[in-house]
Amino acid sequence: MVEKFTIKDFNRMYPDDKACLNEVFKNRYGHLKACPQCKKETKFYKVKGRKCYACQYCGYQISPLADTIFHKSSTSLRNWFYSLYLFSVSKNGVSAKELERQLGVTYKCAWRIAKQIRLLFKQNKELLSDIVEIDETYIGGKHRGKRGRGSENKTSIVGLAQRKGIIKAKVTKNTKSSTIKAIIKDNVEIGIDLVTDEYRSYNGLGKLGFKHFTINHGEEKWVEGIAHVNTIEGFWSQLKRSISGTYHCVSPKYLQHYVDEFVYRYNHRLSSFPIFQKLVLAVVKQA
Ligand SMILES: [Zn+2]
C-alpha cells in the first residue's frame, strides 16, 4: 500500500521557500559533519537573503540548489515543490496549462517546470525477470497505418512488463525485429519466459536465449495459462487515456518523457514510500 502524503502534510512541512530550501540542503548535505574547506566540525547556517548555507567558522558556502532541476529558476522554490506535489498525486499527469493556472505563472514557465520534473521519472537500468510480456503500440498520427508500418504518422513504443512487477517502455523509431530485440536484450535477463503476440518482429526470440510463448488474439483461448499480454495492454490503455485526456497531443520529441512519467507512476504502485518524497530526494540532475 502506498502511504498517503496529503496536501495537509505538504502545507505543514513546506509552509515557505525557506522550509523547501532547508529540505534540499538536508537531503544533499545533511550528512556533512565537517566543513569541506576548514575541516572543522561545523554547523552550516542559512545565509540571509541568499539561497545558500555557510560554515560558521570559515564562511565556506554551499548552494543546495546547484545541479538540481530548480537551479537558476526565478520561480519560487515552494511553487516548484507544489508542482512536484501535483505530479505526485495525479493519476493522469499534469499539463502545463494546469500548472499555469495553479501557480499563476506564465505558460512558458509552467511548461519548463513540467519538462524539468519529467526528467525525474527517467527509467532505471534494472533487468526484468520472471515472466515478461512484450508488446508495442503507436501514438499520434492521423491515419491508422498498417502494423509496423505506421511510422509515417505515428510514433511507436515498445513495452516490457514483468508479471506483478515493473514495466519498462521505450519510444522507438520503428518496430523492426532488430529494434525490438535490442531493447529486449538491454532490459531482460537471458533465459526467462517472454510472452508476445504473433507479430513477425518477435520471431526468433528463442535463438537469443529466451523461452518464447506466443498468443494469438484471433483465437478464443488466448488468455489461458501464461500466454497473455494483458498487463502491458492495460498499461497502454492507461497511457493513451492520459495522453489524450491531459496532454492532448505530445510531440514525438518529448514522448519518451511522458512515457517515463507513466511508467514511474505504474512502477511506484509497489512501493510504500510516497511519490512526492521520492521526487524531492531525486531533484539532482543526472549527468
Ligand atoms: Zn569552514
Side-chain angles (χ1 to χ4, degrees), residues 35-40 42 55-60:
C35 167
Q37 186 167 269
C38 70
K39 314 287 179 206
K40 281 184 189 159
T42 183
C55 166
Q56 60 177 333
Y57 300 111
C58 71
Y60 176 79

Side-chain angles (χ1 to χ4, degrees), residues 72-88:
K72 289 186 175 161
S73 168
S74 56
T75 303
S76 82
L77 194 55
R78 190 172 192 272
N79 269 347
W80 273 100
F81 267 54
Y82 184 57
S83 306
L84 286 173
Y85 177 76
L86 292 177
F87 269 90
S88 76

Side-chain angles (χ1 to χ4, degrees), residues 32-282:
L32 273 187
K33 295 271 179 287
C35 167
Q37 186 167 269
C38 70
K39 314 287 179 206
K40 281 184 189 159
E41 215 172 281
T42 183
K43 282 212 172 77
F44 289 91
Y45 65 90
K46 161 89 174 52
V47 179
K48 212 178 166 197
R50 297 198 51 201
K51 293 173 189 166
C52 69
Y53 290 73
C55 166
Q56 60 177 333
Y57 300 111
C58 71
Y60 176 79
Q61 292 192 346
I62 291 174
S63 304
L65 303 189
D67 309 316
T68 69
I69 59 166
F70 315 124
H71 192 41
K72 289 186 175 161
S73 168
S74 56
T75 303
S76 82
L77 194 55
R78 190 172 192 272
N79 269 347
W80 273 100
F81 267 54
Y82 184 57
S83 306
L84 286 173
Y85 177 76
L86 292 177
F87 269 90
S88 76
V89 291
S90 152
K91 266 206 173 69
N92 297 312
V94 184
S95 67
K97 209 74 202 151
E98 173 76 9
L99 281 185
E100 178 190 6
R101 260 195 306 272
Q102 295 250 10
L103 306 180
V105 298
T106 63
Y107 181 79
K108 199 179 151 194
C109 174
W111 192 87
R112 189 181 162 270
I113 289 174
K115 182 171 175 257
Q116 292 292 309
I117 288 177
R118 256 177 232 113
L119 297 177
L120 307 180
F121 299 124
K122 208 172 166 200
Q123 296 174 51
N124 67 24
K125 296 206 162 89
E126 190 187 335
L127 291 180
L128 302 180
S129 56
D130 197 17
I131 299 168
V132 174
E133 300 172 18
I134 301 165
D135 192 28
E136 77 304 332
T137 195
Y138 304 88
I139 301 267
K142 285 178 185 135
H143 306 289
R144 228 171 218 281
K146 274 186 196 158
R147 195 177 185 201
R149 295 196 196 130
S151 55
E152 308 93 48
N153 292 301
K154 288 173 179 276
T155 308
S156 48
I157 310 175
V158 175
L160 307 97
Q162 181 179 325
R163 292 270 168 85
K164 293 181 185 135
I166 67 166
I167 275 181
K168 293 188 169 213
K170 308 281 175 201
V171 173
T172 56
K173 284 204 172 67
N174 55 56
T175 54
K176 285 181 189 164
S177 193
S178 55
T179 307
I180 291 180
K181 281 172 183 159
I183 290 175
I184 294 172
K185 280 195 275 187
D186 278 353
N187 291 283
V188 185
E189 253 176 60
I190 289 287
I192 67 132
D193 297 350
L194 303 181
V195 185
T196 71
D197 61 20
E198 292 178 329
Y199 181 39
R200 56 185 155 66
S201 285
Y202 298 117
N203 290 347
L205 285 173
K207 281 183 205 140
L208 295 177
F210 299 100
K211 284 182 206 138
H212 185 200
F213 297 82
T214 58
I215 55 160
N216 184 342
H217 282 192
E219 281 176 19
E220 266 177 57
K221 292 194 293 182
W222 70 278
V223 282
E224 205 172 81
I226 69 156
H228 68 79
V229 287
N230 295 354
T231 315
I232 191 69
E233 284 182 340
F235 177 75
W236 293 147
S237 55
Q238 169 69 31
L239 176 74
K240 287 178 176 187
R241 260 200 312 278
S242 301
I243 286 181
S244 63
T246 306
Y247 296 125
H248 309 298
C249 78
V250 172
S251 116
K253 190 179 160 197
Y254 297 115
L255 184 60
Q256 184 68 58
H257 298 311
Y258 290 83
V259 170
D260 288 348
E261 177 185 346
F262 290 98
V263 165
Y264 187 96
R265 265 191 203 105
Y266 180 89
N267 290 345
H268 197 82
R269 83 200 185 286
L270 302 165
S271 161
S272 61
F273 197 62
I275 290 185
F276 173 74
Q277 287 172 309
K278 213 171 170 182
L279 292 176
V280 168
L281 284 169

